Amino acid sequence: MLERVGEKAVDVAIGQIRGYFRPTPAERDAAWELVVELSTRTTVTPLAEDEGSVREAMNSIFSMFDTTRTVLRTHGVDTARTRADGNLSLAVVSVRVLNDILRPVLTVWHPLLKDHEEINEQRKENKQPPLAWERSWNRHSECRDALNELRSSVREYIDTLARIAGTESFVGVTAGLRPSSVIEQTLIDSPIVTANRGLKGKPRNRMVGWLDLKEMAQFPIARWRARTEPELVGPGQLDATHFAEGEDLWIDYVADLGDGFDPTAAVAWQIAKPSVTLPEDPAGELPELPNDGVLPSADILVFGGDEIYPWTGKGVYENQLDLPYRAAAQSAESLRKDEERAAPIALAVPGNHDWLGGVKYFDECFPSADEFAGRWKTPQGQRFFSVDTGRGWWIWGIDTKLDNQLDPTQREFFENQAELLEGDRVLLCTPFPMWQLRANHEEAYASL
């Protein structure tokens, strides 16, 4: 028997629309009506380059406004009541999707397309059919791409409505689209996940239970193994030759990422995509968006510690870190257009959880490896690193082991690196926030 998801609190994450609530019967009924209306329209159908009409797609998205108004009126105020079971309601989610996600795109492209269509009306001698005239528009491809990107948000919205209604999404079956959920996508689409049967063990699919007696019983053994690791011999330093001069340099920074396969894969998906478009900010709460709000995939991916929870062992990095990132990278490859950019690099410092159970497994994944997850080069050669970006900035990553101290090898290394700065600035990546906790770690902070 299918469990009615709608009887539980529903988490909502559509762009910047985030929160949760427990749907009322009226909200479940209204959500199901919206699912039926929206999932059977061209609203959710991808617009191929040589197929379909931009005008038809835009009209389909426009129709969501009337449909939403009708459904909310029909089911009444019970779809909008505030209550103590969360910070949202169906009406709030629906209206915000219309105003925050759909309206900004439509207000840009609808008048531009209309101007092009009116030119065709004025030229009576033009013998082109309407569809051919539409495709002759010099901004046709740009508009189509914008609508297709908008459709992915609509798909997330419909999937959310399905959960509110108390059922699973069936739009992927009816519309043939990639699932909006990154976890569903990586598990279904990526061959590497299928091949996981050959790996030792299985990915941790649930978050760590920190009060779990079975977990706690392994802690002394994991800590003992952490004390027996040898030093690495490697360069530790990268120079600016890794990065093209005169171009922007983009950096992704991720830390505390190894607790559970699903959240790791969700973050990996955002990192692996060719770009991430930040949502509009009608409330003016965010600073000015760089690059017009489109953040390209990074040249440097920095893992800032605790790549694994709660401790490592044979096969753990393969299942919990490499697997979700490899799956995300493979899934994102179909979105990536021809690029001339150099292959990105991944840098990492171990956190205390990477040491627990043996830091040699971290070494196998990063300092001693040539690549990570089939996409990123791993040139650091040490558990710490120094990168000259050639742009007046350096990136330093330090390894504080289990005692939050810099060992003599690192101290000497970074003292030598400091002589190279010549007024440049440094981004310091440390696996432990000593500047925040220095009241309890004065000695470690003084050392840093």
Side-chain angles (χ1 to χ4, degrees):
M1 182 176 179
L2 185 64
E3 181 182 15
R4 287 188 61 84
V5 182
E7 293 175 354
K8 298 181 178 180
V10 175
D11 289 321
V12 176
I14 311 168
Q16 284 190 303
I17 308 170
R18 296 177 181 273
Y20 68 96
F21 68 106
R22 191 182 302 276
T24 64
E27 286 173 316
R28 289 200 293 270
D29 292 343
W32 175 244
E33 190 170 333
L34 286 170
V35 167
V36 173
E37 289 288 337
L38 301 183
S39 64
T40 55
R41 303 180 185 211
T42 56
T43 309
V44 294
T45 306
L47 195 61
E49 188 168 356
D50 57 349
E51 297 177 358
S53 163
V54 167
R55 167 52 65 195
E56 182 183 351
M58 197 173 295
N59 288 343
S60 175
I61 294 173
F62 262 124
S63 70
M64 292 177 62
F65 286 81
D66 282 338
T67 298
T68 302
R69 283 192 288 263
T70 300
V71 170
L72 293 181
R73 281 198 208 101
T74 300
H75 293 275
V77 72
D78 282 344
T79 63
R81 293 186 186 279
T82 57
R83 62 274 188 146
D85 64 353
N87 62 333
L88 293 177
S89 66
L90 175 66
V92 169
V93 172
S94 300
V95 172
R96 285 199 61 187
V97 166
L98 298 181
N99 291 333
D100 296 357
I101 295 178
L102 303 187
R103 194 182 300 278
V105 176
L106 296 177
T107 53
V108 170
W109 288 106
H110 173 65
L112 294 174
L113 177 58
K114 188 175 180 181
D115 287 346
H116 178 74
E117 292 168 335
E118 288 177 350
I119 292 174
N120 187 34
E121 290 295 323
Q122 295 167 9
R123 295 178 180 176
K124 298 298 184 183
E125 70 278 7
N126 192 297
K127 303 297 184 182
Q128 282 185 306
L131 185 58
W133 177 252
E134 178 188 281
R135 291 178 182 172
S136 70
W137 182 28
N138 62 352
R139 303 195 69 175
H140 177 266
S141 295
E142 189 180 354
C143 180
R144 185 194 63 244
D145 291 345
L147 292 179
N148 277 337
E149 187 171 343
L150 188 61
R151 288 169 189 271
S152 66
S153 296
V154 173
R155 170 62 198 274
E156 291 177 352
Y157 174 45
I158 297 175
D159 281 353
T160 301
L161 289 173
R163 295 200 307 274
I164 294 171
T167 184
E168 300 296 331
S169 172
F170 61 94
V171 181
V173 178
T174 59
L177 288 180
R178 288 181 177 275
S180 64
S181 164
V182 54
I183 307 309
E184 185 181 359
Q185 174 171 330
T186 55
L187 290 178
I188 293 175
D189 292 350
S190 179
I192 189 64
V193 177
T194 303
N196 177 53
R197 296 190 184 95
L199 298 178
K200 180 178 177 62
K202 295 181 179 180
R204 176 188 289 272
N205 290 319
R206 63 179 180 85
M207 307 295 279
V208 173
W210 289 106
L211 299 180
D212 189 315
L213 293 178
K214 188 180 294 184
E215 301 275 17
M216 295 174 65
Q218 300 179 56
F219 179 77
I221 299 175
R223 192 170 181 86
W224 175 80
R225 288 176 177 169
R227 299 291 184 183
T228 62
E229 300 300 336
E231 295 288 340
L232 279 180
V233 178
Q237 180 181 354
L238 290 76
D239 58 34
T241 59
H242 286 269
F243 317 110
E245 295 182 3
E247 296 182 2
D248 290 339
L249 188 68
W250 292 85
I251 303 171
D252 281 336
Y253 182 87
V254 192
D256 293 341
L257 64 151
D259 190 355
F261 183 92
D262 283 6
T264 303
V267 173
W269 170 244
Q270 300 300 328
I271 288 172
K273 288 194 300 185
S275 64
V276 174
T277 301
L278 299 180
E280 295 291 330
D281 181 32
E285 297 173 346
L286 299 177
E288 183 178 351
L289 301 181
N291 205 42
D292 294 328
V294 179
L295 309 184
S297 58
D299 305 282
I300 305 174
L301 169 59
V302 179
F303 290 113
D306 288 350
E307 283 79 56
I308 290 300
Y309 276 100
W311 35 73
T312 186
K314 187 173 180 57
V316 175
Y317 277 92
E318 190 174 14
N319 286 338
Q320 288 297 111
L321 185 64
D322 184 275
L323 178 63
Y325 272 80
R326 190 177 297 270
Q330 287 185 358
S331 298
E333 196 61 35
S334 61
L335 307 177
R336 197 174 304 280
K337 299 178 181 178
D338 293 337
E339 294 180 338
E340 296 182 358
R341 294 170 60 192
I345 67 172
L347 305 169
V349 292
N352 63 321
H353 290 275
D354 297 291
W355 274 86
L356 291 172
V359 78
K360 65 181 179 180
Y361 301 110
F362 170 89
D363 296 344
E364 293 172 358
C365 190
F366 292 107
S368 300
D370 296 324
E371 58 85 24
F372 168 69
R375 173 164 173 74
W376 293 268
K377 293 182 179 180
T378 52
Q380 67 190 71
Q382 274 285 4
R383 296 171 195 141
F384 51 86
F385 56 81
S386 171
V387 180
D388 177 9
T389 69
R391 293 159 173 79
W393 283 93
W394 292 61
I395 308 173
W396 288 2
I398 64 174
D399 171 21
T400 56
K401 302 186 178 179
L402 290 174
D403 55 5
N404 301 318
Q405 298 284 337
L406 289 184
D407 57 50
T409 300
Q410 286 187 81
R411 181 177 294 278
E412 180 181 2
F413 173 81
F414 285 108
E415 285 176 348
N416 292 333
Q417 290 295 296
E419 296 178 1
L420 305 176
L421 296 182
E422 297 181 355
D424 289 351
R425 290 168 291 181
V426 176
L427 295 171
L428 179 62
C429 305
T430 171
F432 186 76
M434 285 178 271
W435 55 92
Q436 289 186 346
L437 306 176
R438 57 189 176 192
N440 298 324
H441 302 273
E442 292 184 5
E443 183 179 352
Y445 185 75
S447 174
L448 174 63

